[in-house]
Amino acid sequence: TALGGGVLFLSIFAAWDFYQLIPQTAAFAALLAVTAALGALALGRDSERLAVLALSAGFATPALLGTDDLVPLFGYLVILVGCFLLVAWRKGWRWVAPLALVGKLIYLFGWYEDRYTSAKLLPTVAFATALFAEFSAYLLLRARLAPDDPRRPRNVELLLLPINAGWYGILLYATLYQDHRWWLTAAVVALGALHLGAARLVTDREPARVAAARMIFAGLALTFVTAAIPIRLEGEAITIAWAIEAALLVWAGFRTDVRALRGAGVVLLIAAIALLFGQWGGADRLLLNARFASFATVVAALALSAYWARSRWDDLDSVERRLFSGVAIAVSAVAVWGLSC
């Protein structure tokens, strides 16, 4: 089957490129027909290897024909990836999604590097959003399957979630940060909310235990919300916002008894303390200045976290006890530092 598909592909390509026997549109239709035939064989034989071959053929078609116009290229990719992800979800195939992710990223960032201009901002973001959304929906649908369903993703497959979120965040930053920062902030906050909603959907199917998919979705939500702060704010405002967010995470972690939330809050507290090093130096007014406000907010967040930990001390294990003991020590250290520098 692979040999037959390869011979057909090379023959059609040669008929168009080397000998000019057929026009480009006819060559595209013929290559698309070969891809569809391979896909039909994959379904008929329930063969994931043939599905991978068919998807590879589909990705090769625009490269062979030199198709690089924005709308035809990415419209084709959205349809191609969406169809194969739908089949992969129904069949429980595991190698189609990684190939689809790699293929679309090669085209997307290759096109962005060579052909992108600010005049093409809207369609570029629209097609990127469509590719991101269909892949996220595929992973969420698989994560919501019953624990005993063989189509349920393995933990290693869930690494595709942060990869998918990461490339989309990078693209949004590259296209929106310079001239459309408010839109970028809104998009990043919206991504945080969407991933939080996805975490809740996974929770509804598995209330008894913390699923890996739920934690990854929740972690991505936290990452996007945290990233939105330095996108829009500057200087001491970032430190203040991160300290408040850290305190809220620690409080939510104790309120819901989710250890991961408490850990994320402590990590963010450490990040806020690290930002204080960039605010070293004197101020023009005693106490009533932005630098002291950032120190005071961090001290308050540390103190509240230590207080909440102390109130639940008997419920903590040895690791968290040492962690929050360090938080308690940091209260005095950061306070003395803020008052003396």
Side-chain angles (χ1 to χ4, degrees), residues 45-254:
R45 300 180 184 179
D46 195 13
S47 171
E48 185 176 10
R49 288 177 293 180
L50 280 180
V52 169
L53 178 64
L55 182 56
S56 301
F59 277 127
T61 297
L64 290 174
L65 298 181
T67 305
D68 56 4
D69 290 337
L70 175 62
V71 175
L73 174 60
F74 286 102
Y76 168 80
L77 290 177
V78 168
I79 296 172
L80 177 72
V81 171
C83 289
F84 274 89
L85 288 180
L86 177 61
V87 173
W89 171 66
R90 294 297 298 271
K91 293 289 187 178
W93 291 337
R94 301 183 182 278
W95 291 102
V96 170
L99 177 61
L101 182 62
V102 171
K104 74 178 183 180
L105 291 184
I106 290 174
Y107 274 107
L108 189 64
F109 285 100
W111 184 90
Y112 178 84
E113 185 69 25
D114 296 333
R115 302 293 300 275
Y116 175 76
T117 62
S118 57
K120 301 175 181 178
L121 170 64
L122 186 58
T124 300
V125 173
F127 281 118
T129 301
L131 289 167
F132 164 78
E134 62 188 8
F135 206 90
S136 298
Y138 161 79
L139 292 170
L140 176 59
L141 287 173
R142 288 192 61 189
R144 276 183 56 81
L145 294 171
D148 57 346
D149 195 313
R151 296 176 297 166
R152 185 176 176 80
R154 301 186 183 97
N155 286 350
V156 68
E157 292 179 86
L158 294 174
L159 293 176
L160 297 176
L161 277 169
I163 295 174
N164 187 52
W167 76 258
Y168 185 60
I170 291 172
L171 184 76
L172 289 179
Y173 180 85
T175 54
L176 298 177
Y177 182 79
Q178 193 65 33
D179 300 316
H180 306 280
R181 198 172 299 184
W182 273 114
W183 285 108
L184 176 60
T185 305
V188 171
V189 172
L191 284 171
L194 288 172
H195 281 88
L196 184 60
R200 294 291 299 172
L201 288 175
V202 175
T203 302
D204 291 340
R205 295 300 301 267
E206 291 191 78
R209 66 186 183 91
V210 178
R214 187 199 316 171
M215 298 308 300
I216 293 176
F217 276 120
L220 289 172
L222 173 61
T223 300
F224 278 119
V225 172
T226 303
I229 293 173
I231 289 175
R232 189 63 264 170
L233 303 178
E234 296 179 354
E236 290 85 355
I238 299 175
T239 307
I240 293 172
W242 276 4
I244 294 173
E245 182 185 355
L248 290 174
L249 285 172
V250 173
W251 173 80
F254 281 115

Side-chain angles (χ1 to χ4, degrees), residues 245-247 249-250 254 259-273 302 305-306 309 320 323-324 326-327:
E245 182 185 355
L249 285 172
V250 173
F254 281 115
R259 182 178 179 179
L261 282 178
R262 301 194 292 266
V266 173
V267 170
L268 204 53
L269 282 172
I270 295 172
I273 293 172
L302 289 167
S305 299
E320 282 198 292
L323 187 64
F324 282 101
V327 169

